[in-house]
Amino acid sequence: MSGPSTSPLDDMPSSYPSDADGDALRNVAESGADMSRPMVIDFSVEVPDECTARRVAEVVAAHGFDPSISEDDDSGSWSVSCSKSMLATYEGVVAVRVELNELLSSHGGTCDGWGTFGNSQP
């Protein structure tokens, strides 16, 4: 028999919404990450070409993200990973996705997801 929850964060995984972001956060929590501590989250932004990728990287860097540009060798598509250290909360992740889409829509960029390696120690 388990005792009472010691922190409101203990019940977090079961309280995430049933959507892609909620499912991803549940997976992060279940993988052993400490959801009460910041972790680096990489937000993926799809762009049409290298020139746009470079411009998007400049824009997001000016807004506190650590960008890295990549090209998919097979498809030739371009993306910018926009990394940020933050608490992995549902509201936080959704807010950053909205922020990126608002910042980048005029540049042809779209935030299409995110990922993290969490913050658990090996």
Side-chain angles (χ1 to χ4, degrees):
M1 178 175 194
S2 65
S5 179
T6 58
S7 163
L9 296 173
D10 291 342
D11 294 325
M12 255 192 200
S14 61
S15 66
Y16 295 124
S18 295
D19 62 13
D21 292 318
D23 292 345
L25 285 164
R26 257 187 299 286
N27 288 336
V28 171
E30 290 168 1
S31 75
D34 181 347
M35 303 304 278
S36 69
R37 288 188 19 240
M39 62 189 75
V40 174
I41 299 180
D42 304 311
F43 294 87
S44 177
V45 175
E46 296 303 312
V47 294
D49 52 48
E50 182 180 8
C51 181
T52 303
R54 293 188 185 286
R55 179 67 188 134
V56 162
E58 290 174 10
V59 171
V60 298
H63 284 86
F65 293 89
D66 182 18
S68 78
I69 298 170
S70 62
E71 178 186 17
D72 183 293
D73 291 333
D74 295 329
S75 69
S77 65
W78 288 85
S79 63
V80 181
S81 177
C82 305
S83 301
K84 183 174 192 143
S85 180
M86 60 184 280
L87 286 176
T89 65
Y90 183 82
E91 294 78 12
V93 167
V94 170
V96 170
R97 291 184 65 171
V98 168
E99 174 189 10
L100 286 169
N101 283 327
E102 288 174 353
L103 279 172
L104 304 174
S105 64
S106 65
H107 300 284
T110 304
C111 181
D112 71 341
W114 60 273
T116 182
F117 289 108
N119 58 13
S120 57
Q121 299 297 320

